[in-house]
Amino acid sequence: MNKKVISMMLLLAATILSGCSSDGDDPPQPAQETGAPLQVMVVFAPGELGDGGYADDVLEGLNQLKRMDDEREEKDKDAVDVDFISRYDAEDTRNAVTQWAGQKANPFHDGDYSRRLLVISDPTMIPLLGVIKDDLRPTDEVLLLKVYEADVAKAAADYGLGERVHGLNISLTESIRRFCRYMDRAIAQAQTDGKEWNRDFLPIFRRYDESTWACRDSISEVLAEELGTSSRSPIGALNQMGAVFTLDAMTQMQETAYSLAQAFMQNYQQSCSAFCIVDFGKYNAGWDYYLLGHEGDDLFETLMIDARELATHNRYYVKRDFRSAFFGWGYDWMKQESGTLPRMTLIYGEQCVDNIPDMIDY
C-alpha cells in the first residue's frame, strides 16, 4: 500500500471521528435503574428450614410476595426485595442479623430502602432485637411469628420499638378441641374391642422445653379446659437451643425423636395411655420413621403439629397455613404506612386444616 492511499485513509478516519463529536454531545447513556424501596428479611432459627410444615410455609409466603411483585401489571420497577437468613448456629445467625440491620442501602442499586421489615420466625430469637435496636430506623418494623399479644408488647417495651413491633399467629384451638372429642370416642370404641385405652398420660413432645420457650399455640390451654385434671400432659423436649447444626448433629436429633417414639411405645404397652401430641418441627421425621417402621402393629395414636399427612392409620396431623397468613400480612404491610398495622393478628379456625376424624373409621 503506497503512502498516498494511507494518507487518504487517515484523513477519512479523522473526518469521521471529528463528525461524531463536532456538536459536543455525548452518546445517550442508559437511565440509572432504581431499586425497590421496600425490603422484607426473614430470619430462621438454625436448622429450622426443611420441616415440611411451618418454616417451609413461611419461606413459600416470602417467595409469593416476590412473585406477586414480579407479576404486577403496568410494572415500571420493583416494589419489594425479599431475602432470608438461615445459619448453622446461633452466633452465625446473630452476626448475619447484625450485618443486615446496619446495611440500609440496596445492595444492587443506588439509594437506601425507605422501609424494611424484619420477620422473626422462631420466638426464641426475639432477644436479637436487643443487639440491633440501635441500628433500626424509625421506618423499620419487626414481625414476630407464633407469639401472643403480650409477647409483642413486651418486646416493644424491652427494646424501645413502640408501635413498630407486630405479631402474627394462628390458633390451634379448634383442632385441639376436635382431637379431645376424638380421643373420647376412640377410647369408647377401643373398650368395645376389648382394649383398655386411656388418656391419663397425654404428653406433648416439643423441640424446646418450657424454660426456653412456652409455645403460643393454645394446646396446653385447650387440653386443660377440655380435660381438666383427668389427663396429665407433661412437656417432653429435644431441647437443642443454640446447637451447631452439622450433619451429625441433625442425624442425632432425628435419632432422639425416634427414641422418644420408641419409649412412648413402651409406656403405651404398660399403661395403655394411647395418645400423644408431637411438635418437633424438622425432626418430626424421626418420630414418623418409627411409626412407618411399625405399621400394622398395635400402636398408640399421634397428633403431629404443623406437619403433612402420612400414609399410616395411627397418625393424624394439623397444619397451620402460615404461607397464606404471612403473605397476606406482608402484602398489607407493603401497602400501608409504617407503624399502622395492628399490634397483633391472631387467626382462629381459618388457615388451619387437619385430618382428625369426626367419626372413628376402622
Side-chain angles (χ1 to χ4, degrees):
M1 184 179 297
N2 59 40
K3 293 181 179 180
K4 184 176 181 180
V5 172
I6 294 175
S7 298
M8 291 178 62
M9 292 178 65
L10 290 173
L11 179 61
L12 178 61
T15 302
I16 293 173
L17 291 174
S18 175
C20 291
S21 58
S22 60
D23 56 3
D25 293 333
D26 293 328
Q29 299 294 324
Q32 182 67 40
E33 186 176 355
T34 58
L38 309 178
Q39 185 194 40
V40 178
M41 175 67 77
V42 179
V43 54
F44 293 99
E48 190 177 14
L49 283 176
D51 63 351
Y54 161 71
D56 289 356
D57 271 4
V58 172
L59 184 58
E60 289 181 15
L62 180 69
N63 289 334
Q64 189 175 0
L65 276 177
K66 187 57 183 175
R67 287 198 302 272
M68 176 276 301
D69 185 40
D70 291 341
E71 294 169 0
R72 285 182 297 125
E73 294 183 1
E74 300 179 359
K75 172 185 171 186
D76 56 350
K77 64 178 180 179
D78 291 340
V80 63
D81 287 339
V82 304
D83 204 350
F84 68 94
I85 294 169
S86 178
R87 298 293 190 266
Y88 282 105
D89 59 39
E91 182 178 359
D92 283 350
T93 302
R94 182 173 58 254
N95 291 339
V97 173
T98 301
Q99 182 179 9
W100 168 82
Q103 180 61 49
K104 285 87 173 177
N106 187 309
F108 302 107
H109 305 286
D110 290 338
D112 293 350
Y113 291 112
S114 61
R115 294 170 57 213
R116 299 184 300 171
L117 176 68
L118 178 67
V119 183
I120 296 180
S121 69
D122 188 317
T124 63
M125 298 188 297
I126 291 176
L128 286 172
L129 295 178
V131 180
I132 66 171
K133 61 185 179 65
D134 293 334
D135 289 322
L136 296 178
R137 302 168 303 173
T139 56
D140 294 335
E141 296 180 85
V142 177
L143 176 63
L144 308 177
L145 302 182
K146 298 204 295 186
V147 295
Y148 288 160
E149 185 169 2
D151 303 311
V152 181
K154 184 177 186 304
D158 286 350
Y159 307 114
L161 297 175
E163 299 301 318
R164 291 181 289 150
V165 183
H166 310 275
L168 173 65
N169 203 355
I170 302 174
S171 173
L172 290 169
T173 296
E174 293 188 14
S175 292
I176 300 303
R177 291 195 194 283
R178 187 176 299 112
F179 187 61
C180 289
R181 294 192 293 269
Y182 167 73
M183 286 189 290
D184 288 340
R185 294 195 306 271
I187 289 170
Q189 181 63 50
Q191 291 174 345
T192 299
D193 296 339
K195 296 181 181 180
E196 298 181 358
W197 276 14
N198 65 74
R199 51 170 172 74
D200 299 342
F201 179 65
L202 176 57
I204 307 170
F205 294 98
R206 296 197 184 274
R207 181 171 176 181
Y208 305 127
D209 62 28
E210 288 191 299
S211 65
T212 300
W213 179 257
C215 290
R216 312 317 200 214
D217 52 21
S218 306
I219 293 178
S220 295
E221 295 90 335
V222 174
L223 290 180
E225 181 181 333
E226 291 284 327
L227 308 180
T229 59
S230 64
S231 295
R232 191 164 52 91
S233 299
I235 306 295
L238 291 179
N239 202 27
Q240 292 292 317
M241 182 68 174
V244 177
F245 284 87
T246 63
L247 180 59
D248 288 343
M250 290 189 287
T251 300
Q252 183 178 0
M253 296 276 278
Q254 298 284 21
E255 292 175 350
T256 300
Y258 183 97
S259 297
L260 287 171
Q262 189 175 42
F264 188 71
M265 179 64 176
Q266 294 172 355
N267 177 80
Y268 164 66
Q269 292 171 335
Q270 295 170 6
S271 68
C272 296
S273 293
F275 307 95
C276 63
I277 298 173
V278 177
D279 180 20
F280 287 151
K282 183 174 184 174
Y283 305 104
N284 285 340
W287 192 282
D288 283 342
Y289 295 154
Y290 182 85
L291 297 182
L292 291 170
H294 293 79
E295 176 70 23
D297 294 349
D298 178 21
L299 276 175
F300 55 85
E301 305 219 332
T302 299
L303 177 64
M304 196 74 76
I305 304 300
D306 288 330
R308 296 171 181 170
E309 191 166 8
L310 188 71
T312 182
H313 72 281
N314 56 334
R315 187 265 208 185
Y316 303 107
Y317 77 95
V318 53
K319 186 173 185 294
R320 293 174 285 182
D321 185 6
F322 271 95
R323 179 186 65 84
S324 298
F326 173 50
F327 167 75
W329 197 99
Y331 182 81
D332 289 342
W333 175 82
M334 291 172 58
K335 299 300 181 183
Q336 299 189 32
E337 296 297 323
S338 178
T340 58
L341 284 176
R343 166 161 281 184
M344 183 68 210
T345 302
L346 181 58
I347 301 170
Y348 288 93
E350 298 176 1
Q351 297 176 339
C352 188
V353 298
D354 64 59
N355 69 341
I356 301 168
D358 291 324
M359 300 294 293
I360 300 175
D361 183 16
Y362 288 99

